[in-house]
Amino acid sequence: MKNANARKTLKFDVQTVQSFRQSQDEFDTLVMLASRGDRRAIGAIAAAMGGDLLKVARAALKGCEDEAGDVVQDFMLALLEERWPFNREQGGGQTWMFGIVKMIARNRRRETLRGRGMED
């Protein structure tokens, strides 16, 4: 699928996004659009992959699992703000998303544990 036409031709319902996971090129195009702030693409990713993103966040938080929802929300905000544009040359879209969520989670965990240490 050509990037110029991607926005016009992609459907953004949950079922379609789930099927995109079977087609690396289409899924990567969706992730690229989301990383560039496309609200529809972000919403589709949130709806279709929110549970998977939460699992990744919980696993990375180790002892601070209650922060997982905030981590996913921070990730979605990062997409909206175009903080880390996705580049296919660095790997697949799902791997990229999980990597960003892990990074945010580890930073959140470090901050949370540091805050708890100051309270004790």
Side-chain angles (χ1 to χ4, degrees), residues 61-64 67 105-120:
L61 284 164
K62 297 177 191 165
C64 303
E67 302 275 338
R106 288 180 188 132
N107 289 340
R108 172 74 63 133
R109 180 177 185 271
R110 192 170 26 255
E111 291 169 13
T112 299
L113 292 177
R114 193 175 299 142
R116 287 180 185 169
M118 293 187 331
E119 292 175 12
D120 292 337

Side-chain angles (χ1 to χ4, degrees), residues 8-71:
K8 294 177 187 173
T9 59
L10 285 178
K11 291 171 67 179
F12 292 102
D13 57 79
V14 173
Q15 233 177 359
T16 302
V17 174
Q18 290 294 350
S19 72
F20 280 178
R21 294 174 82 175
Q22 304 301 314
S23 168
Q24 189 68 44
D25 285 341
E26 289 180 346
F27 186 74
D28 286 353
T29 299
L30 179 69
V31 173
M32 181 198 60
L33 290 170
S35 77
R36 294 182 179 170
D38 185 300
R39 291 173 185 263
R40 288 182 36 207
I42 294 168
I45 286 172
M49 299 212 42
D52 293 331
L53 295 169
L54 274 170
K55 287 178 190 174
V56 169
R58 281 190 192 107
L61 284 164
K62 297 177 191 165
C64 303
E65 289 85 358
D66 57 324
E67 302 275 338
D70 290 339
V71 168

